[in-house]
Amino acid sequence: MKLVVNGDAFEVEADPVTVDVLVSRLGLEGQRVAVEVNRRIIRRAAWAETALAEGDAVEVVHFVGGG
Amino acid sequence: MDNVLDKLVIGRHEFGSRLLVGTGKYPSAVVARAALAASGSEIVTVAVRRVNLDRNAEDSIWHQVDLSKFTLLPNTAGCSTRDEAVRTAMLAREVGMGDLVKIEVIADPKTLYPDNQATIEAAKILIEEGFTVLPYVTDDLVVCKKLGDLGCAAVMPLGAPIGSGLGIRNPVQIRLIVEAMAGSGVPVIVDAGVGTASDAARAMELGCDAVLMNTAIAGAKDPVAMAHAMRHAVIAGRLALSAGRIPMKLYATASSPLEGLIG
């Protein structure tokens, strides 16, 4: 399945591709990140049951140093 | 030493330190950790950014600093509209699981001056969403009053442009804001512009409740030493204010008695 993750094309094969699956494919399991799918925040508790669809735009963000 | 000051109250949070520090631009994670510890700060700011999937960009701040020791104040730095700021704040809450947010809506790229109107609008939305809102604004007393009336947990006027180190350029403006907010229970935090310890002390002597800085510490030749200096400056300024300074006079008044001088 082709997704757009943080602005770049990203392909994931799984059935279904849930947010949980994507996060683990990105190597971000257990990390403090937030996920938005098509501009809607998906709460962590809902990652396992939220299936992604072809072409979904996903944002994965975290905290970096800043003022 | 930390106990000499009264508590800083921001929303439902209480803090012993009146120095808030940023976590950006340190030369290394080791220096960042040491400087944050030396500052005595209990609140640190962080920014929200995309995770870099190539893994060669900036690492998550969680890997560099043990943030569990601090109350996190995520910012909306980089946003230039109300909606971007609201979206970033929502994501920040999801990452950090805290209710504090520093609203920063930048209107001018050269000065990084904030868009006060967009900031007010974002504050309104985020307060309704249950956030504890700390807006970064210009040193405008009317804007600060509006934000206080909306229910912001603090107002954060700039002392000078972000990262400029110019100090408190308009002490009269800051003093007017302090007086306007007095009795409202809304703390005034000078955010941006501090260059050295005397600037921080000056902000506190003007009656500000706290000072927020990043570059002044992170960009110093010795960030850890500067963090120490800032910690003491904030305490010194606060103490000097409550001690009540002597009035300024044009001419000298002798400190030693005039009686009993040798003939």
Side-chain angles (χ1 to χ4, degrees):
Chain A
M1 179 187 293
K2 284 187 178 125
L3 304 168
V4 179
V5 180
N6 289 355
D8 290 325
F10 192 85
E11 215 166 324
V12 195
E13 291 311 323
D15 186 25
V17 178
T18 61
V19 173
D20 235 3
V21 166
L22 174 65
V23 168
S24 93
R25 294 291 168 87
L26 292 170
L28 297 169
E29 270 169 316
Q31 307 280 318
R32 290 174 192 264
V33 296
V35 177
E36 225 187 25
V37 178
N38 302 327
R39 295 207 156 219
R40 199 166 58 85
I41 290 175
I42 309 297
R43 309 297 302 268
R44 190 173 283 263
W47 284 2
E49 71 223 28
T50 304
L52 297 168
E54 185 80 22
D56 275 352
V58 181
E59 292 286 337
V60 185
V61 302
H62 63 170
F63 285 157
V64 298
Chain B
M1 177 119 194
D2 292 337
N3 302 326
V4 296
L5 300 184
D6 50 332
K7 297 270 185 207
L8 169 67
V9 180
I10 298 175
R12 57 185 178 80
H13 308 268
E14 266 192 18
F15 304 97
S17 166
R18 289 174 178 268
L19 173 59
L20 290 70
V21 296
T23 54
K25 302 204 283 190
Y26 286 90
S28 71
V30 174
V31 173
R33 278 195 292 272
L36 293 186
S39 74
S41 295
E42 294 162 72
I43 308 172
V44 297
T45 61
V46 289
V48 180
R49 291 291 179 271
R50 281 174 165 171
V51 173
N52 191 296
L53 303 175
D54 294 335
R55 306 196 165 266
N56 50 13
E58 193 176 358
D59 200 7
S60 165
I61 186 75
W62 298 95
H63 298 146
Q64 298 167 35
V65 181
D66 178 10
L67 294 178
S68 64
K69 296 179 197 159
F70 302 98
T71 296
L72 296 186
L73 177 56
N75 65 33
T76 65
C79 294
S80 56
T81 67
R82 175 199 69 183
D83 291 347
E84 283 171 14
V86 169
R87 183 183 177 199
T88 303
M90 299 286 193
L91 284 166
R93 181 159 68 177
E94 196 57 25
V95 178
M97 300 294 160
D99 61 310
L100 268 68
V101 67
K102 165 179 162 177
I103 304 180
E104 188 177 339
V105 184
I106 300 301
D108 180 61
K110 217 166 181 177
T111 59
L112 297 180
Y113 269 24
D115 181 333
N116 292 332
Q117 185 53 39
T119 303
I120 289 170
E121 289 169 17
K124 211 178 288 179
I125 295 168
L126 292 171
I127 289 165
E128 273 170 28
E129 290 285 340
F131 283 84
T132 298
V133 173
L134 293 82
Y136 160 70
V137 286
T138 53
D139 53 1
D140 183 314
L141 118 86
V142 176
V143 169
C144 287
K145 280 172 82 171
K146 283 184 184 176
L147 288 162
D149 291 344
L150 276 180
C152 286
V155 290
M156 305 207 294
L158 56 83
I162 294 170
S164 69
L166 286 169
I168 315 296
R169 298 316 296 171
N170 295 302
V172 173
Q173 290 290 95
I174 297 294
R175 181 66 199 168
L176 287 173
I177 292 168
V178 166
E179 297 213 352
M181 303 311 287
S184 68
V186 180
V188 177
I189 302 172
V190 160
D191 177 9
V194 165
T196 187
S198 53
D199 298 332
R202 181 96 172 96
M204 297 307 289
E205 286 170 358
L206 286 166
C208 293
D209 295 280
V211 183
L212 196 168
M213 64 183 73
N214 187 347
T215 310
I217 293 175
K221 227 179 244 173
D222 183 343
V224 181
M226 187 58 91
H228 269 294
M230 291 301 184
R231 172 188 202 155
H232 292 293
V234 167
I235 293 170
R238 182 75 178 176
L239 286 175
L241 176 75
S242 62
R245 60 153 301 150
I246 60 162
M248 289 194 219
K249 290 182 296 187
L250 197 52
Y251 295 104
T253 312
S255 307
S256 308
L258 297 173
E259 295 84 40
L261 286 171
I262 50 170

